[in-house]
Amino acid sequence: MSILLRHVIPPPHSVLYSTSEKSKLNFPSFRNPRFSFSSIKATAATPMASTTKKVLVPIANGTEPIEAVITIDVLRRGGADVTVASIEKQIRVDATYDVKLVADSHLSECSDAVFDLITLPGGIPGATNFKNCQLLEKLVKKQVEDGKLYAAVCASPAVAFGSWGLLNGLKATCHPFFMDELKSSGAITVESRVHEEGNVVTSRGPGTTMEFAVALVEKLFGKEKADEVSGPLVMRSNHGDEYSIKELNPMQWTFDNVPQVLVPIANGTEEMEAIIIIDILRRAKVNVVVASAEDSLEILASRKVKLEADVLLDEAAKLSYDLIVLPGGLGGAQAFAKSEKLVNMLKKQRESNRPYGAMCASPALVLEPHGLLKGKKATAFPAMCNKLSDPSEIENRVVVDGNLITSRGPGTTMEFALGIVEKLFGRDKALELAKPMLFTHP
């Protein structure tokens, strides 16, 4: 199964979106479609073992895309067979931020299937739409009756599970804005980032979803598999604390009007990193241009997710950017390194003293061999750090050296993106974004 993402490029100097007054979570929504992804059945990279677990992830109009994507990605890393099902009349749903999600199937096609886990992403009005879906309610109640796993994050524990009476007398958590509603449903509220109570697992928001997904892997496959999955994610050990970045040779990052940021993608790009970077920068009202370094707009990302860029790199190269930032992924980084156009853009960015950045495999495989780390301190994915000529700062999760920012892996991406927001708009703005996402304690 893979995910297709599309994003329509707006005029380069337009204000991209405004905060929706209707969103109880105070997350921005876009006036025009910005980015979409669909989940379609595909052959797994390796044969499925007999212990493969089947997972249902429903999606709806108003679903929170970060929560959906991270959950799907991490569960697939654990070996789960994930089915993404639309509860709407159409397979394609309008998620928050005008993200278009296209499912594998309609929920009605899953009515006779047996799942080891049903897990709901959050988002408003996504959770409300879940609540009002009689078929989904029937499926989840049957899941509970059969003693099988069920889970939800953000608004969904309160709005969906709570309204269905599935948490009565059980300890559970959800997004802080919905804790009163969760309590009124009969649940015993706790403020844990992830809480397990028998066969139900609940969590709080976008910033807790990776922990949530790893917990689901452990429930399905055991601690050994969860540890195997979580290690390469480079997750934080101090979840919820204020993030920190290591900054050397401080300089002010400047821009005119709205910051213009280029995010290249290529075959093998790490999709969680790309999605989180793009999402958080748009929350900060940055104009993000996604450009394919391949011959076509569509690329196949590292976890078999299909991404479709706004433009080809040749077209993107006609514009100038306040920041160029590379997600990681082994194949994607290798493609970036081979792109003469992209390397030249990065070199011009450096020469003009404008900011540029990279994370995961990209600092080691793109920046280092092309001299873009010369005289700079950087970090990278742990297994790639031996390729850096200066390893003195590799243990830091985010390193800023003047106009360069680097980071380590999927589990450091929120810090990386928030670090960019901090450099562009200040730390108060970054924390303002981090808290409602539950990346830091509210």
Side-chain angles (χ1 to χ4, degrees):
M1 189 182 301
S2 63
I3 300 176
L4 174 66
L5 298 97
R6 292 190 182 92
H7 160 232
V8 180
I9 182 171
H13 294 287
S14 65
V15 176
L16 300 181
Y17 55 80
S18 60
T19 302
S20 172
E21 295 178 355
K22 296 180 181 179
S23 174
K24 195 171 183 181
L25 298 184
N26 195 31
F27 294 161
S29 62
F30 302 112
R31 186 174 297 276
N32 298 311
R34 298 281 307 159
F35 211 95
S36 70
F37 56 94
S38 68
S39 181
I40 59 174
K41 291 289 186 182
T43 302
T46 56
M48 288 294 184
S50 60
T51 56
T52 294
K53 304 292 186 177
K54 294 186 178 296
V55 178
L56 175 66
V57 180
I59 56 174
N61 291 334
T63 285
E64 164 52 54
I66 286 182
E67 294 163 2
V69 171
I70 291 178
T71 301
I72 294 163
D73 186 295
V74 173
L75 284 170
R76 287 179 179 154
R77 288 170 181 256
D81 178 8
V82 180
T83 297
V84 181
S86 167
I87 72 162
E88 307 294 346
K89 292 180 180 179
Q90 295 81 26
I91 293 295
R92 176 167 161 166
V93 306
D94 297 317
T96 54
Y97 316 106
D98 287 328
V99 172
K100 307 299 180 184
L101 306 180
V102 182
D104 305 319
S105 62
H106 193 276
L107 188 66
S108 60
E109 299 174 50
C110 305
S111 59
D112 296 326
V114 176
F115 295 98
D116 298 283
L117 165 68
I118 299 177
T119 180
L120 278 55
I124 290 293
T128 303
N129 291 331
F130 288 154
K131 167 188 172 181
N132 296 329
C133 177
Q134 293 181 352
L135 177 56
L136 181 60
E137 179 180 357
K138 178 181 177 181
L139 289 174
V140 178
K141 284 185 173 179
K142 180 67 163 54
Q143 189 82 357
V144 176
E145 291 170 2
D146 291 345
K148 294 180 178 293
L149 293 171
Y150 59 112
V153 62
C154 198
S156 288
V159 176
F161 286 177
S163 68
W164 296 336
L166 300 181
L167 299 177
N168 189 31
L170 298 176
K171 292 181 180 178
T173 192
C174 68
H175 195 279
F177 290 152
F178 295 91
M179 290 293 271
D180 288 343
E181 187 171 344
L182 181 63
K183 186 175 182 179
S184 67
S185 74
I188 302 166
T189 57
V190 295
E191 295 187 358
S192 304
R193 293 173 64 79
V194 179
H195 186 78
E196 301 179 24
E197 180 87 355
N199 288 327
V200 63
V201 182
T202 53
S203 189
R204 310 208 79 185
T208 69
T209 305
M210 195 171 290
E211 301 151 64
F212 171 68
V214 170
L216 296 180
V217 171
E218 182 169 347
K219 295 289 280 187
L220 289 170
F221 299 103
K223 189 176 188 307
E224 184 176 350
K225 173 58 71 171
D227 290 343
E228 177 187 320
V229 169
S230 64
L233 294 177
V234 201
M235 295 171 68
R236 291 206 294 174
S237 59
N238 58 332
H239 297 300
D241 289 354
E242 276 200 20
Y243 74 93
S244 63
I245 61 176
K246 178 66 177 290
E247 184 163 16
L248 307 161
N249 304 308
M251 64 170 282
Q252 186 175 1
W253 292 10
T254 60
F255 58 89
D256 295 326
N257 194 16
V258 177
Q260 311 300 311
V261 175
L262 176 68
V263 179
I265 56 174
N267 291 332
T269 287
E270 166 47 56
E271 48 267 66
M272 274 197 289
E273 294 169 1
I275 292 166
I276 294 170
I277 291 167
I278 293 162
D279 185 287
I280 290 179
L281 292 184
R282 288 180 179 156
R283 290 171 188 257
K285 301 186 179 180
V286 169
N287 182 15
V288 179
V289 176
V290 182
S292 171
E294 306 292 347
D295 294 331
S296 63
L297 292 178
E298 185 179 290
I299 65 97
L300 184 65
S302 63
R303 310 307 304 183
K304 307 304 178 186
V305 169
K306 291 180 180 179
L307 309 178
E308 186 170 308
D310 309 318
V311 293
L312 296 177
L313 192 63
D314 282 348
E315 184 176 345
K318 297 174 183 178
L319 301 174
S320 63
Y321 299 93
D322 299 298
L323 169 69
I324 299 175
V325 59
L326 312 181
L330 179 60
Q334 290 170 336
F336 294 156
K338 293 176 183 177
S339 171
E340 184 177 353
K341 177 76 67 175
L342 178 57
V343 170
N344 286 338
M345 291 176 72
L346 287 164
K347 287 181 175 179
K348 289 180 181 178
Q349 195 81 0
R350 174 186 166 101
E351 290 166 3
S352 61
N353 208 31
R354 287 178 293 175
Y356 61 106
M359 66 173 303
C360 198
S362 289
L365 299 185
V366 185
L367 302 187
E368 178 69 40
H370 288 290
L372 292 162
L373 295 183
K374 187 176 181 180
K376 296 284 190 181
K377 306 288 187 180
T379 189
F381 188 72
M384 295 285 176
C385 284
N386 61 355
K387 298 182 181 296
L388 300 182
S389 56
D390 183 349
S392 61
E393 301 294 337
I394 61 173
E395 296 301 322
N396 293 296
R397 296 173 64 80
V398 180
V399 177
V400 180
D401 189 350
N403 61 333
L404 171 70
I405 184 168
T406 55
S407 189
R408 311 204 77 188
T412 71
T413 310
M414 285 197 175
E415 295 147 87
F416 179 63
L418 290 168
I420 292 171
V421 173
E422 181 173 335
K423 288 302 299 177
L424 291 172
F425 302 108
R427 188 167 182 84
D428 287 348
K429 179 64 175 179
L431 292 176
E432 177 186 323
L433 296 179
K435 290 177 182 178
M437 293 177 67
L438 278 298
F439 184 68
T440 59
H441 297 300

